[in-house]
Amino acid sequence: MPHDHDHSAPGHSHAGHQHAAPPPGGGFSTAFAVGIILNVLFVIAETAGGLWANSAALLSDAGHNLSDVLSLALAWGAAWLAGRPATRRYTFGYRGATIQAALLNTALLYAALGFILWETIDHLRHPEPVNGRWVMLLAGIGIVVNGVTALLFRSGQKGDVNVRGAYLHMLTDALVSAGVVAGGGLVLLTGWAWLDPAISFIILGIIAFSSWGLLRDSLRLGLQAVPDGIDPEAVRAYLLAQPAVESVHDLHIWSLSSAGHDAALMAHLIRPGGADAAWLGTLTKGLETQFNIRHCTVQVEDGALPGGCHGQCEIPASVA
């Protein structure tokens, strides 16, 4: 009953089964550094301006930008850890740090939203005059700062939840700042101070709504769900279609990190006569080219295990 493992994708070593680590910082170290510096300076300016102009919208935007600074720092640290080599204890390296960072970043974001909501309600109950011109000036600067930062992460946002979180935060902030500019103009024209906290409520709603997808994807990664874009039934059908394979059990597909190209697979195949290196090479190459699964551990059994399989062999369709 052979127990075969194969890692045939580029970046793997057959001899030591070493997984190539991503570059330190995930290839976005400069983007993280520039984004953090720009947003720290802007948070300081926006907080001072919000207090001076008595603007709840500016203060709420400053609070969210502060959470973005923390988010960028956490995401950068996780990306750096992901680039560290594997050890005897951490055999996959530290790639999972990006998943934990995405989860923590989402939790911090919603905690910040709760705090800002409380402050906005207080401003709505006790409205005070707002300096519309100052609000428009600072929010206009925010459009530039957040827009530039978002562009720094645009190229990597489709393949990595960690990077996508940074991109969406910055893009959302740029759009929100545009809303604050419009709100400042309305307050300036009408003199209605209550418009400022009302706009703040709209800003909070936009942020909460736009962040929902990030929360969902982060939770899925943390629970080791099958990555988006991979159909587990199609993978099962592919394995069953291989020459002489009679059945598949203990099939697991998950992601090693927040990167969409970091999917891993473990499966047990019943194939009388076992398997040789050429057969395994063809199998794993197909998993990579058809499903973008680059880390494969396949156990080939020449018959049913005594007492049945020892894991969760089949998942009912009703709970899949």
Side-chain angles (χ1 to χ4, degrees), residues 11 55 92 181 223 289:
S55 170
F92 278 119
V181 170
L223 293 173
T289 56

Side-chain angles (χ1 to χ4, degrees), residues 51-108:
L51 292 172
W52 185 79
N54 199 29
S55 170
L58 273 181
L59 290 176
S60 66
D61 197 36
H64 179 59
N65 273 286
L66 178 59
S67 74
D68 282 344
V69 171
L70 299 176
S71 176
L72 287 173
L74 188 59
W76 189 11
W80 179 82
L81 277 176
R84 304 292 296 168
T87 66
R88 291 184 179 180
R89 180 171 295 276
Y90 296 96
T91 55
F92 278 119
Y94 299 89
R95 291 172 172 175
T98 56
I99 297 176
Q100 297 181 37
L103 283 167
L104 184 54
N105 271 332
T106 309
L108 287 173

Side-chain angles (χ1 to χ4, degrees), residues 104-123:
L104 184 54
N105 271 332
T106 309
L108 287 173
L109 173 62
Y110 279 92
L113 290 180
F115 174 77
I116 295 168
L117 177 61
W118 178 266
E119 290 295 313
T120 302
I121 292 174
D122 184 65
H123 276 265

Side-chain angles (χ1 to χ4, degrees), residues 31 50 56 105 153 156 167 192 234 288:
N105 271 332
F153 296 101
Y167 173 76
W192 297 341
E288 179 188 354

Side-chain angles (χ1 to χ4, degrees), residues 49 52-55 58 128-136 184 187-188:
W52 185 79
N54 199 29
S55 170
L58 273 181
E128 298 180 12
V130 175
N131 189 321
R133 289 187 177 86
W134 190 247
V135 170
M136 293 176 68
V187 171
L188 191 62

Side-chain angles (χ1 to χ4, degrees), residues 208-230:
F209 179 78
S210 64
S211 302
W212 177 253
L214 180 64
L215 173 62
R216 179 198 60 212
D217 292 344
S218 299
L219 287 173
R220 285 178 177 174
L221 285 170
L223 293 173
Q224 295 184 315
V226 176
D228 288 341
I230 298 178

